[in-house]
Amino acid sequence: MKTEAVLDDIRSRIEAGYPLLFLKTAEEDRWERELAELALEIERGLVTWTITRGLQPPLSGETYEEPSATRLLVQLNEYPEEHLFLVKDFHPYLTDPVVLRQLRDLLPDLIAQRKTLLLFGPVMKVPLELEKDSVRIELPLPAYEDLREEFDQTISEIRGSDADALELNADNEDRLIKAVMGLTAQEARKAWMRALRGRNELNDDVFTTLISEKRTLASGSDLLEFYDLDENVNDIGGLDQLKDWMSKRAEAYSPRAREQGIPLPKGMLLLGVQGCGKSLTARATARLLSFPLMRLDIAALLGAQRGESEKNMRSVLSLVESIAPAVLWLDEIEKGFAGVEGDGAGAADATMLRLVGTFLTWMAEIQKPIFVVATANSVENLPPEMLRRGRFDELFFVDLPNFEERKHILGIHLKKRGWKTDQFNLDDLARRADGFSGAELEQIVVTALIDAFGNGRVLSQEELERAWRTTVPLSVTMEDKIFALRNWAQDRCRRATSDSRVTAMLEAEQRIDTTRLPDDDEFVPLPPWAQLAAAGQLKAGIVEFIRKDGDVLFPKLVEAMQPYMEVTGDQGLAVRTNPNTVLWAGMSQPLCELICELVSSKRIYVHPTELDRYKEIQKGVRLPILKEPTDEKVPRAVWLPSSLRTAPHQVHSARLSRIGRMKLGGS
Ligand code: ATP
């Protein structure tokens, strides 16, 4: 309900002469402001009471007395007519029989004097004796329109203090507001301040930060689990139709879509083979929509005592509504709702049928932006109602990945761990890994990495192939089940992968079969440090290079890394504690940053070295020379000839352990 509508309700009750309203809110400040404005509008005086300060403003000429509940109730009669009394945190006193009697006796006077008592706070416990004479109203959290106002104010504050503040278009503003819905106005302001201050561009992280503020909302229930949004759509290999469909649905949440009356999407059901990315898609969907992701634990819901599960379901769904916009994820529904289709005679079946019914009705009627993602590995125990057309916007079948998809998935998991894919023959590996799920392909990469590292080698095609050989895909043991599932889904579900890709896959497999792999004899292997650097593992490559050589001068390192990254530029390194002490200059920013990171994580160390070594390679920095590192501040820039090693210097290790990057021009 919107703030305006609730204020209208309160206004009409005050004007109709209601003497006692219980107002429940966790947002004292905002609602106090709203009620003060209302009092002005309807021309009533407003007096506030707290146990610490008593009535404010006090009656003129009154002498100070310790505030108490009984004193308050006496004082109310002394105020002129037509007043509102905003009484904070009164609930503890309502258990006192004297206070309760006093309040009941006071009600006729309040009515006669057109006064209303507003009992206001986060707890609403109405004693039985007052039920007939009072009204309870839950003051809602800020609606979109309310947050809009808060947002405009917050942004103008940020802009006031930050000249480079970011420019926002209408779509981005809408996303930023929706990302905090469900929070109080004050929480929303804090969240925006934290996420937006000092930024001059908007990226995905801003939304992820805002959404994570909603974590505490889900903590109100054991049945809802809040998920961090670490993966995005680019982390999903293949499933192009599904991704395409999803990005169109994401558009339907935009303000433009609202203006044009486009209905809010309801959700999708993903049916498919285990480990092929259904859960991953649920997570990436939430990130795509910039909504928090909440997983509903159906098993725990059903595990509740008899009669409790439906109540729990209703309360959890209303919690989800209060957090909206949100993605609600129902994982493995065939397990959660198992037995619904059974003989229907058992009490458990009856409960589950009702639960499914409650859920589907809620889903059909909900007017809030809640996108349901249900995932299932089989259809046997799935409630048929769930599969009926119109319940979900779409049913997708997620099959084992085809050749192109396998290649894509292998690439994603290599890149995720910092490896360049062009170092490997992924075509060959993807061809061999026919029948492997996405999770099993990821496992190949992980196993190969662990094995290579354990054997003191750099990841190579050989390790990947060995890991492939030792993995038996589930599809071998589950072939019949997968076949049956595929058959079932054929006419009932949309494929998550487009058919044209399947054709492309077949063609590609044909092509690959005739491809000759490079002849081993023609192949001159790179040293391990270079293999690492070539595979994108730059930090590991640098450490290996220094370890192999033992003691490396800066220009040597720059030269070695040159084929793998941009190495030269106007950046240099200096000692942090003594910033005029230059170590080397003329490098690129990325290379300087890598060296700084490695030194600060103590994987490599700076050692002072003899100037002659630099003379040998005829290179140096055009600055006066410093022979020994010193703690005394040097007034002008000086060069400390130094080298890099993997072991610390006996004497100067602490002095040279903190280095920084700065603009220093050429060496
Ligand atoms: P289950 O039914 O067993 O939960 P699932 O279909 O939900 O299986 P996920 O849990 O999404 O599968 O897959 C497990 C992991 O395997 C993912 O977190 C991801 O790392 C990897 N994976 C699976 N499919 C893909 C894919 N298409 N692209 C990239 N990674 C994938």
Side-chain angles (χ1 to χ4, degrees):
M1 206 176 189
K2 293 189 182 143
T3 303
E4 276 308 312
V6 177
L7 283 169
D8 279 348
D9 183 28
I10 297 175
R11 177 195 290 125
S12 67
R13 292 188 192 267
I14 294 172
E15 288 178 337
Y18 281 70
L20 184 56
L21 305 184
F22 281 87
L23 305 180
K24 183 179 172 191
T25 177
E27 279 190 292
E28 200 169 83
D29 285 356
R30 185 171 76 94
W31 278 102
E32 196 174 341
R33 274 199 319 270
E34 298 286 358
L35 291 167
E37 273 177 31
L38 176 69
L40 266 180
E41 240 174 72
I42 58 175
E43 298 180 354
R44 299 277 174 114
L46 180 75
V47 186
T48 322
W49 181 88
T50 60
I51 188 66
T52 47
R53 303 184 63 212
L55 283 164
Q56 295 292 332
L59 272 179
S60 60
E62 203 173 58
T63 49
Y64 179 79
E65 258 186 58
E66 186 83 18
S68 74
T70 46
R71 179 164 157 70
L72 161 72
L73 297 176
V74 173
Q75 281 178 306
L76 294 186
N77 257 333
E78 296 164 11
Y79 274 78
E81 292 192 342
E82 303 213 325
H83 262 69
L84 303 178
F85 298 91
L86 186 66
V87 175
K88 296 184 185 173
D89 301 328
F90 201 70
H91 59 276
Y93 310 106
L94 289 173
T95 51
D96 179 344
V98 177
V99 172
L100 203 53
R101 184 68 256 170
Q102 208 184 347
L103 182 55
R104 292 182 70 191
D105 290 345
L106 183 68
L107 292 177
D109 294 342
L110 292 178
I111 296 171
Q113 297 170 24
R114 299 177 53 75
K115 291 177 181 167
T116 305
L117 202 53
L118 309 167
L119 299 187
F120 180 75
V123 181
M124 179 155 62
K125 278 197 198 131
V126 182
L128 202 65
E129 296 88 330
L130 291 174
E131 273 198 352
K132 285 242 171 319
D133 300 306
S134 61
V135 176
R136 318 154 178 236
I137 301 176
E138 291 228 15
L139 304 180
L141 286 165
Y144 182 89
E145 294 72 15
D146 306 317
L147 285 173
R148 170 96 249 167
E149 271 177 40
E150 298 285 341
F151 180 78
D152 291 342
Q153 280 176 20
T154 314
I155 281 290
S156 63
E157 271 172 44
I158 294 178
R159 292 213 169 111
S161 62
D162 184 356
D164 289 338
L166 71 167
E167 288 300 316
L168 296 168
N169 61 27
D171 277 2
N172 281 333
E173 290 193 2
D174 177 70
R175 281 179 73 196
L176 288 166
I177 295 169
K178 284 191 181 144
V180 299
M181 283 190 73
L183 300 181
T184 66
Q186 211 176 18
E187 288 166 341
R189 269 170 173 273
K190 277 197 230 145
W192 287 320
M193 281 283 182
R194 194 159 80 93
L196 298 176
R197 200 178 241 159
R199 266 185 194 275
N200 42 25
E201 61 171 5
L202 206 60
N203 60 21
D204 234 19
D205 292 345
V206 173
F207 296 101
T208 325
T209 312
L210 289 176
I211 288 165
S212 67
E213 300 281 335
K214 291 196 182 182
R215 169 184 298 278
T216 46
L217 302 179
S219 64
S221 166
D222 296 342
L223 303 173
L224 276 188
E225 193 181 347
F226 188 96
Y227 272 76
D228 284 323
L229 306 181
D230 297 328
E231 288 122 328
N232 63 37
V233 176
N234 297 333
D235 291 313
I236 308 177
L239 311 189
D240 56 337
Q241 293 246 48
L242 170 53
K243 288 194 282 195
D244 205 43
W245 184 88
M246 257 328 299
S247 52
K248 291 207 181 89
R249 290 301 168 285
E251 287 295 309
Y253 289 101
S254 67
R256 220 159 28 89
R258 292 281 67 68
E259 282 157 20
Q260 294 178 20
I262 310 290
L264 283 174
K266 297 253 167 241
M268 61 183 173
L269 190 147
L270 308 178
L271 169 72
V273 183
Q274 248 172 12
C276 287
K278 298 185 295 300
S279 314
L280 173 64
T281 305
R283 299 196 293 272
T285 300
R287 173 102 175 232
L288 175 72
L289 300 178
S290 303
F291 290 180
L293 175 66
M294 249 105 21
R295 181 173 161 275
L296 175 63
D297 189 342
I298 309 175
L301 186 74
L302 292 169
Q305 297 230 316
R306 253 196 100 192
E308 288 290 295
S309 7
E310 274 173 278
K311 207 169 108 205
N312 287 348
M313 166 86 96
R314 264 192 289 270
S315 84
V316 89
L317 293 179
S318 92
L319 181 62
V320 173
E321 279 183 50
S322 73
I323 300 173
V327 170
L328 179 64
W329 173 23
L330 276 65
D331 192 18
E332 304 198 329
I333 46 171
E334 77 281 18
K335 290 194 189 136
F337 291 124
V340 171
E341 209 190 1
D343 59 16
D349 282 349
T351 308
M352 261 173 301
L353 267 177
R354 277 202 307 275
L355 276 180
V356 173
T358 309
F359 181 78
L360 292 174
T361 313
W362 172 82
M363 211 176 134
E365 290 172 357
I366 180 97
Q367 293 298 320
K368 295 202 166 177
I370 293 173
F371 189 80
V372 179
V373 181
T375 54
N377 287 333
S378 76
V379 276
E380 277 122 54
N381 293 315
L382 266 187
E385 296 75 346
M386 282 218 148
L387 301 170
R388 211 163 285 153
R389 285 262 147 225
R391 301 293 199 194
F392 288 91
D393 299 321
E394 196 58 89
L395 309 185
F396 276 103
F397 176 61
V398 182
D399 207 340
L400 285 167
N402 62 38
F403 167 77
E404 287 292 340
E405 291 180 312
R406 294 197 294 276
K407 212 167 98 178
H408 192 185
I409 297 172
L410 285 165
I412 285 175
H413 289 290
L414 281 165
K415 277 197 212 132
K416 219 174 173 176
R417 291 159 180 91
W419 296 86
K420 274 194 194 161
T421 51
D422 54 11
Q423 299 302 303
F424 306 101
N425 188 342
L426 294 189
D427 279 358
D428 182 52
L429 194 61
R431 184 170 53 84
R432 291 170 193 245
D434 190 11
F436 281 60
S437 69
E440 287 157 347
L441 294 168
E442 181 182 15
Q443 205 44 47
I444 291 183
V445 172
V446 172
T447 309
L449 275 170
I450 295 174
D451 287 352
F453 185 72
N455 294 330
R457 285 202 297 263
V458 175
L459 180 68
S460 67
Q461 186 75 14
E462 204 184 324
E463 259 87 21
L464 287 167
E465 276 174 19
R466 196 171 309 124
W468 158 73
R469 224 169 278 124
T470 53
T471 315
V472 180
L474 210 67
S475 63
V476 170
T477 45
M478 305 248 303
E479 201 179 344
D480 293 348
K481 265 193 128 173
I482 294 174
F483 188 75
L485 192 62
R486 208 174 271 153
N487 258 350
W488 185 93
Q490 195 156 30
D491 310 321
R492 296 176 173 93
C493 298
R494 187 158 165 182
R495 292 181 61 96
T497 305
S498 57
D499 290 340
S500 58
R501 292 288 290 270
V502 178
T503 326
M505 155 201 104
L506 292 171
E507 284 168 7
E509 286 193 54
Q510 288 297 319
R511 271 202 309 275
I512 294 300
D513 271 347
T514 56
T515 309
R516 196 175 68 88
L517 294 176
D519 203 334
D520 276 354
D521 296 345
E522 298 164 10
F523 189 64
V524 184
L526 290 169
W529 71 266
Q531 283 183 44
L532 284 163
Q537 300 285 342
L538 296 172
K539 271 193 272 176
I542 293 176
V543 178
E544 262 329 292
F545 180 69
I546 296 172
R547 181 175 294 131
K548 171 193 73 71
D549 203 277
D551 189 323
V552 173
L553 296 179
F554 282 101
K556 283 262 182 227
L557 178 65
V558 172
E559 190 189 323
M561 296 309 289
Q562 196 256 328
Y564 311 109
M565 66 185 296
E566 181 68 51
V567 285
T568 50
D570 62 357
Q571 303 286 309
L573 297 170
V575 177
R576 271 271 187 83
T577 48
N578 218 339
N580 279 334
T581 310
V582 174
L583 298 172
W584 193 248
M587 290 185 281
S588 71
Q589 179 173 331
L591 180 59
C592 285
E593 275 166 7
L594 287 178
I595 299 173
C596 287
E597 255 186 83
L598 290 170
V599 171
S600 76
S601 60
K602 298 196 165 38
R603 293 180 62 199
I604 58 175
Y605 296 85
V606 178
H607 285 236
T609 194
E610 308 79 49
L611 181 62
D612 286 354
R613 292 185 60 208
Y614 273 92
K615 286 209 175 121
E616 273 168 33
I617 57 169
Q618 314 223 315
K619 269 211 160 167
V621 181
R622 272 172 261 114
L623 287 176
I625 312 292
L626 182 69
K627 288 216 170 84
E628 282 265 287
T630 165
D631 289 334
E632 273 169 44
K633 291 270 172 282
V634 268
R636 291 184 301 123
V638 289
W639 175 38
L640 176 71
S642 48
S643 63
L644 294 163
R645 297 188 187 192
T646 51
H649 190 272
Q650 295 282 347
V651 186
H652 297 300
S653 128
R655 239 173 235 126
L656 300 174
S657 64
R658 293 184 58 215
I659 65 169
R661 171 179 67 80
M662 49 181 68
K663 213 165 165 170
L664 276 172
S667 48

